[in-house]
Amino acid sequence: MAVTIVIGTQWGDEGKAKIVDYYAQDADLVVRFQGGANAGHTVKVNDEQFIFHLVPCGAIYPDKRCVIGNGVVVDPKALLEEIDQLLGQGVDVIDRLQISENAHLVMPYHKLTDGLSEASRGSGAIGTTKRGIGPCYVDKVARTEALRMGDLLDPADSRRRVADAVVDKNAVLTKVFGHDPMDADEIADEYLAYSERLGGCIVDTGIVLADAVKSGESVLLEGAQGTLLDVDHGTFPFVTSSNTTAGGACTGTGIGPTQISKVVGTVKAYTSRVGNGPFPTEFETEFGDEMRKEWGEFGASTGRPRRIGWFDAVITRYSARVNGLTDLALTSMDRLDILPELKICVTYEIEGQEVVNFPTRLSVLEKAKPIYETLPGWETSTQEARVFDDLPDNAQRYLRRIEELTGVPVATAGVGPNRHEVVAVGD
Ligand code: IMP
């Protein structure tokens, strides 16, 4: 297995957690490399649901080591709540969790300004999770007023940094947003209390991972969100603030690109997105409402209704390119069991022209009309299928058509929410 990356190929919520859980069986370490508590990764084991936001979901296996890499933005309050929630469910992770000293800290003013900025954008709002992700990455890239996990190990220094940051943050809060100022001491006290529990986890994870790779351990890099939410390659500005694509796995961990052996793209058998922005294959309202209810398409982090639509091969081809995908992991195939016919968007029509490549300029994408091909449904349950030949003929045809249109082999197909409900398609 060596180093495997699992990423989302659409707008997130492709069911990455289940795929990470699948590959984690053979991993020694499972690593998050970008994003933060905006992620909501759900794994279902024997009908018990585990929801992960910051902890790599490989934590479910008691023998796996878990790493939060330098590219992640860590909200220590959310992390400790998650650690405690998992402990309540019998998953004890803190002693096998290592967090990069260079991972940036999400501070209370990041969460506050995330909400205030969104409100001020009005109808142009991005639809963020309001977890402070964007403002935290802003401070990282601006290289000022930023605090990193390692800073918590030096209480006096942290206190001084928080005090400096809060002066500037308060100027913006009060003068731009007309909000009450924040109290620097209160924030420093709160964060230093978190460091009492998390301090033992904070290390140079670059060395941990390099040693693991060198000694032949298997490392699984767990992406969050999806390719179209990537700050460079996504539907900007309706994106998140990190590199969700495979390249982000290298910068967010310090593992070099030559060490990567496999890039698995998780792809839903249809398409969904939360938040605002263009979505060419989105269902017409009534059908969409019906399917959303049927499929339970509500966000794991925020509970927001997800927008849903047909499978879009233009998007998946684009994802295959920008991620260098070696395999596809198709998910939620069983949800299509009820439909008499299925549409796949093969190309777009933009101003009378057929377009094969995904347009990355928003003003062009907004004009894209999907060109569909229609395939017959299978109208029978796939939930018991475990190998390719168990799938009904029309489901096999659907899957093979996705491979043809994207140029990437499908390795697995998910046919239910539970861990074992997976069809092994490839070798
Ligand atoms: P942010 O990451 O909270 O700044 O939100 C930016 C955009 O990314 C919004 O459209 C969010 O809905 C979307 N987003 C963030 N995290 C996730 C996720 O885990 N799944 C799906 N969409 C997400």
Side-chain angles (χ1 to χ4, degrees):
M1 182 186 188
V3 184
T4 297
I5 303 174
V6 174
I7 51 95
T9 61
Q10 297 156 317
W11 279 285
D13 306 319
E14 298 93 351
K16 279 179 298 296
K18 189 173 156 176
I19 303 308
V20 171
D21 180 65
Y22 181 82
Y23 283 95
Q25 296 173 83
D26 299 322
D28 298 296
L29 293 92
V30 187
V31 187
R32 273 285 302 274
F33 58 84
Q34 46 69 230
N38 49 351
H41 294 173
T42 307
V43 181
K44 218 167 174 188
V45 185
N46 301 328
D47 289 328
E48 187 179 4
Q49 195 157 280
F50 298 83
I51 301 183
F52 297 86
H53 300 286
L54 275 160
V55 174
C57 64
I60 289 194
Y61 297 94
D63 59 329
K64 310 295 173 197
R65 289 157 62 198
C66 297
V67 174
I68 296 179
N70 56 278
V72 176
V73 288
V74 180
D75 175 350
K77 180 171 191 273
L79 177 59
L80 285 167
E81 280 169 9
E82 186 177 336
I83 287 170
D84 290 338
Q85 162 76 28
L86 288 170
L87 191 59
Q89 291 184 277
V91 177
D92 190 356
V93 71
I94 198 152
D95 290 337
R96 52 197 171 92
L97 177 66
Q98 292 180 299
I99 309 169
S100 168
E101 56 195 8
N102 294 338
H104 280 246
L105 279 162
V106 175
M107 305 297 289
Y109 41 78
H110 292 140
K111 290 185 266 188
L112 184 58
T113 47
D114 195 356
L116 293 169
S117 303
E118 275 288 89
S120 72
R121 286 184 195 115
S123 61
I126 295 166
T128 75
T129 57
K130 302 196 177 96
R131 303 286 154 98
I133 307 300
C136 182
Y137 279 115
V138 166
D139 279 354
K140 172 177 177 171
V141 176
R143 299 157 297 165
T144 53
E145 297 163 9
L147 279 100
R148 309 201 284 183
M149 287 301 296
D151 294 328
L152 292 178
L153 300 175
D154 183 341
D157 187 46
S158 301
R159 211 170 265 289
R160 195 177 57 247
R161 283 164 177 276
V162 172
D164 284 350
V166 167
V167 171
D168 284 0
K169 301 299 175 194
N170 277 345
V172 175
L173 281 175
T174 55
K175 291 179 190 150
V176 176
F177 293 111
H179 197 277
D180 291 340
M182 299 190 103
D183 186 295
D185 281 335
E186 236 173 68
I187 296 174
D189 290 346
E190 181 188 339
Y191 274 59
L192 290 172
Y194 299 143
S195 75
E196 278 168 29
R197 283 189 69 197
L198 292 174
C201 305
I202 303 171
V203 294
D204 181 345
T205 52
I207 293 177
V208 170
L209 293 171
D211 287 348
V213 172
K214 205 168 167 191
S215 62
E217 286 187 291
S218 292
V219 179
L220 181 60
L221 306 179
E222 172 183 348
Q225 294 86 45
T227 297
L228 294 188
L229 291 172
D230 184 286
V231 68
D232 284 278
H233 301 290
T235 46
F236 191 88
F238 299 104
V239 293
T240 191
S241 300
S242 63
N243 284 116
T244 59
T245 42
C250 293
T251 52
T253 57
I255 297 177
T258 51
Q259 307 290 344
I260 308 298
S261 29
K262 206 181 235 207
V263 184
V264 180
T266 314
V267 60
K268 229 176 210 172
Y270 51 98
T271 312
S272 71
R273 96 173 280 184
V274 281
N276 303 331
F279 182 171
T281 64
E282 189 166 11
F283 287 146
E284 302 299 328
T285 322
E286 244 172 64
F287 184 56
D289 286 346
E290 213 179 291
M291 287 298 108
R292 184 171 19 261
K293 232 180 270 164
E294 173 73 32
W295 293 339
E297 282 286 12
F298 298 89
S301 273
T302 58
R304 288 183 293 173
R306 292 182 187 140
R307 299 159 64 195
I308 46 179
W310 294 117
F311 185 87
D312 187 335
V314 184
I315 287 176
T316 318
R317 268 198 302 273
Y318 175 66
S319 281
R321 169 159 61 88
V322 298
N323 291 295
L325 296 182
T326 58
D327 301 82
L328 281 176
L330 196 63
T331 58
S332 302
M333 200 164 177
D334 57 300
R335 291 184 173 171
L336 304 182
D337 291 350
I338 51 168
L339 295 173
E341 62 180 29
L342 304 162
K343 288 185 182 177
I344 292 183
C345 167
V346 288
T347 48
Y348 295 150
E349 189 229 291
I350 300 174
E351 292 179 332
Q353 300 285 318
E354 188 175 1
V355 172
V356 176
N357 291 317
F358 185 72
T360 56
R361 260 168 58 214
L362 198 67
S363 56
V364 180
L365 181 62
E366 276 166 351
K367 294 182 194 142
K369 295 191 188 80
I371 298 180
Y372 288 115
E373 94 185 10
T374 304
L375 280 81
W378 42 93
E379 294 185 272
T380 172
S381 173
T382 52
Q383 211 154 1
E384 301 301 321
R386 293 296 172 267
V387 292
F388 185 69
D389 287 343
D390 294 342
L391 288 171
D393 287 351
N394 286 346
Q396 294 188 9
R397 237 169 259 143
Y398 187 77
L399 190 152
R400 292 296 184 216
R401 188 65 185 132
I402 287 174
E403 288 183 325
E404 279 167 17
L405 289 166
T406 59
V408 186
V410 173
T412 56
V415 288
N418 274 296
R419 171 182 268 180
H420 61 278
E421 290 169 324
V422 178
V423 177
V425 180
D427 311 330

